[in-house]
Amino acid sequence: MGCGMYVCICNAINERRVHGAIADGAARLSEVFRKNGCRPQCGRCLSHMREVMQSHAAPNGAEAGQRARD
Ligand code: FES
């Protein structure tokens, strides 16, 4: 499933850490960074991270996917 693939190089956040943040209640990009103890740096990862969040949220319906776009 590729959960070890890096999403954010600046902060060394991989897909597993994104999913962990979501499981811990993160519904927005900013919350994924906060739950990993960091902030966006260059911003190049934001669109990919949004896709990872949406693909993770998809089985639960559109509402979570909508929040991931905020
Ligand atoms: S790659 Fe995520 S902030 Fe730079």
Side-chain angles (χ1 to χ4, degrees):
M1 187 170 162
C3 285
M5 187 173 169
Y6 278 101
V7 179
C8 175
I9 301 301
C10 293
N11 292 303
I13 298 174
N14 60 21
E15 290 185 3
R16 190 184 316 271
R17 291 179 69 181
V18 174
H19 294 171
I22 293 169
D24 199 29
R28 292 182 162 79
L29 287 172
S30 59
E31 293 169 342
V32 171
F33 284 100
R34 192 175 318 125
K35 288 185 180 292
N36 281 286
C38 56
R39 293 188 292 183
Q41 303 296 317
C42 73
R44 289 183 191 157
C45 60
L46 298 180
S47 63
H48 182 216
M49 189 174 293
R50 197 171 286 123
E51 289 174 13
V52 172
M53 290 183 74
Q54 288 169 352
S55 67
H56 184 81
N60 296 330
E63 183 184 339
Q66 176 64 42
R67 284 184 288 155
R69 283 188 286 272
D70 293 344

